[in-house]
Amino acid sequence: MIDAISFKNGTFRYLDQRYLPLQELHVETRDHREAIEAIKTLAVRGAPLIGASAGYTVVLGVNSFKGSKEEFPAYFGQLIKDVEASRPTAVNLFFATKKMKAVYDANFEGDSLETLKTKMTDEAHKIYNDEVDNCDRIARHGVEQIKRDCADILKTRKLNVLTHCNTGTLACCGIGTALGVIRLAWQEGLIERVITAESRPLLQGLRLTAWELEHDGIPFISISDSSSAFLMQRGMIDFGVVGADRITANGDTANKIGTYAHAVSANHHGIPFYIAAPVSTIDITLKEGAQIPIEERNADELRTIFGTQVATPTTPVLNYAFDVTPGTLLRGIITEKKAVVGNYETGLREICS
Ligand SMILES: CSC[C@@H](O)[C@@H](O)C(=O)COP(=O)(O)O
């Protein structure tokens, strides 16, 4: 399996996803400011991977602290703020900083800074390893749900599945969330072909998901984002499964821009559309999707295509990185604890308690 990130001997190593699939560039750093920049620029990306990277970034920051114990609280507070300012939507980032803060709160008084550093490193590894395990469990629950929902089709043929953005190893540490479900479904002989939507403007579907599927030998075809409704009309998609950056208490889900349009189309055509995500992606403190902070990115991501200018530099651009799909459009939310189907208010609250 690809190592999207790793942390050894105080060094954070990441695969710079901006250059994939044309170049596999691994970068090593001991500087937390460089790690923050990697999150901001999407060199590392995908909600669970952002969370795990945030944990390691805090460790880098703590390791480079040179002051006295009295000076540490102010330094640590600023470090957490800087990490949290890197990307606003994926709640996994805040899940990770909350875990790191909890280690600080519980141990700062009693421990030396050296011991605190070790405990924080252990916590960051735990965040990473938990996400790896979560992916395996999500895949199992997802496959069971799909077998139930698509039982009639499966009597005569295999399934064609739509996915958006990248939710695989590159985004999650383990086998992936939505892509983990697809991987396991493929291994169990349920999948005919994966349809990967390109995911404009940064092309995570076309570049990254395609790269992972090719690597695994899973048949796939890439489409432009706007093609999915037409393929559904033609009977070329049997179900959709995507990841999430933040899920609110009522099941509304922020995910890569374009997801909502796929979900609306799937609903119109009576096609089941699922979210696959770890519990760390659920923000039970928010009632509904309108409360999710949606990242707006640099206009040049749209005006240029990988460095080539395609619109005038003055073209006004609105570049939302995510949209929100209402829970009512979802067939289910598949987590490592279970697949929540039906009443999200009750189901999500139960698995978050
Ligand atoms: C399992 S990753 C789920 C989401 O994080 C993914 O679908 C997505 O939207 C990623 O966005 P990105 O901007 O590439 O970080």
Side-chain angles (χ1 to χ4, degrees):
M1 200 178 297
I2 317 147
D3 260 342
I5 58 169
S6 61
F7 191 88
K8 248 185 231 149
N9 302 326
T11 299
F12 179 57
R13 186 170 195 263
Y14 62 90
L15 175 56
D16 191 329
Q17 300 188 27
R18 292 172 298 173
Y19 301 104
L20 288 173
L22 304 179
Q23 202 187 336
E24 278 181 50
L25 178 71
H26 290 271
V27 180
E28 290 191 348
T29 183
R30 296 169 82 89
D31 184 338
H32 67 280
R33 289 160 304 190
E34 281 177 21
I36 290 174
E37 204 50 27
I39 297 173
K40 280 186 183 164
T41 57
L42 273 63
V44 294
R45 45 141 306 276
L49 197 82
I50 291 172
S53 302
Y56 289 134
T57 303
V58 172
V59 174
L60 291 181
V62 168
N63 284 352
S64 64
F65 176 69
K66 299 277 187 291
S68 65
K69 197 166 175 188
E70 291 69 42
E71 289 164 330
F72 186 78
Y75 174 86
F76 185 70
Q78 188 57 48
L79 171 64
I80 294 288
K81 271 192 198 147
D82 292 345
V83 174
E84 289 183 341
S86 58
R87 290 196 77 188
T89 304
V91 76
N92 310 59
L93 187 147
F94 304 90
F95 172 88
T97 51
K98 200 169 150 195
K99 294 254 177 204
M100 301 306 281
K101 272 190 280 186
V103 174
Y104 165 84
D105 288 341
N107 300 290
F108 177 70
E109 290 298 332
D111 284 345
S112 68
L113 285 182
E114 278 317 302
T115 309
L116 191 62
K117 283 177 192 174
T118 307
K119 287 186 178 167
M120 286 202 182
T121 308
D122 291 347
E123 186 65 15
H125 283 314
K126 185 173 177 334
I127 294 169
Y128 177 97
N129 291 327
D130 284 352
E131 292 298 13
V132 173
D133 292 346
N134 291 340
C135 288
D136 294 334
R137 294 198 180 93
I138 290 169
R140 174 56 40 218
H141 292 306
V143 166
E144 281 161 15
Q145 188 63 38
I146 287 153
K147 276 184 182 163
R148 273 195 292 277
D149 290 344
C150 299
D152 282 346
I153 308 175
L154 284 168
K155 281 179 195 153
T156 58
R157 62 169 175 83
K158 295 181 184 185
L159 304 168
N160 294 295
V161 51
L162 171 73
T163 192
H164 190 71
C165 198
N166 172 266
T167 61
T169 305
L170 292 169
C172 300
C173 320
I175 59 167
T177 52
L179 207 59
V181 173
I182 292 171
R183 280 189 161 113
L184 186 62
W186 157 256
Q187 280 163 19
E188 297 205 358
L190 309 180
I191 300 296
E192 180 68 36
R193 184 167 72 169
V194 185
I195 293 147
T196 65
E198 63 171 346
S199 318
R200 279 279 292 148
L202 297 181
L203 309 181
Q204 292 91 330
L206 183 75
R207 296 185 300 113
L208 308 178
T209 301
W211 187 68
E212 288 199 42
L213 290 170
E214 197 158 27
H215 191 266
D216 282 14
I218 300 176
F220 72 95
I221 194 151
S222 293
I223 60 166
S224 60
D225 296 332
S226 46
S227 306
S228 67
F230 180 58
L231 267 68
M232 291 178 197
Q233 189 187 51
R234 292 262 158 130
M236 294 165 74
I237 294 171
D238 298 303
F239 75 97
V241 60
V242 300
D245 285 82
R246 199 183 289 227
I247 302 168
T248 57
N250 66 346
D252 292 353
T253 298
N255 191 50
K256 180 53 56 196
I257 192 86
T259 303
Y260 177 37
H262 298 314
V264 168
S265 302
N267 230 250
H268 178 77
H269 292 94
I271 292 167
F273 195 84
Y274 306 92
I275 298 295
V279 172
S280 57
T281 308
I282 302 170
D283 186 349
I284 210 71
T285 67
L286 299 187
K287 252 178 77 173
E288 57 185 21
Q291 297 169 289
I292 301 175
I294 297 294
E295 179 179 13
E296 219 184 301
R297 292 187 64 82
N298 193 306
D300 282 333
E301 282 185 355
L302 244 82
R303 294 191 197 118
T304 61
I305 296 185
F306 290 87
T308 303
Q309 193 79 35
V310 291
T312 66
T314 52
T315 301
V317 158
L318 189 55
N319 184 17
Y320 285 124
F322 302 97
D323 59 25
V324 178
T325 300
T328 48
L329 295 183
L330 302 172
R331 169 68 190 135
I333 297 176
I334 300 156
T335 75
E336 68 274 26
K337 293 203 177 162
K338 67 179 201 174
V340 181
V341 176
N343 187 332
Y344 296 123
E345 296 283 354
T346 316
L348 295 179
R349 207 160 286 282
E350 192 186 295
I351 59 176
C352 286
S353 60

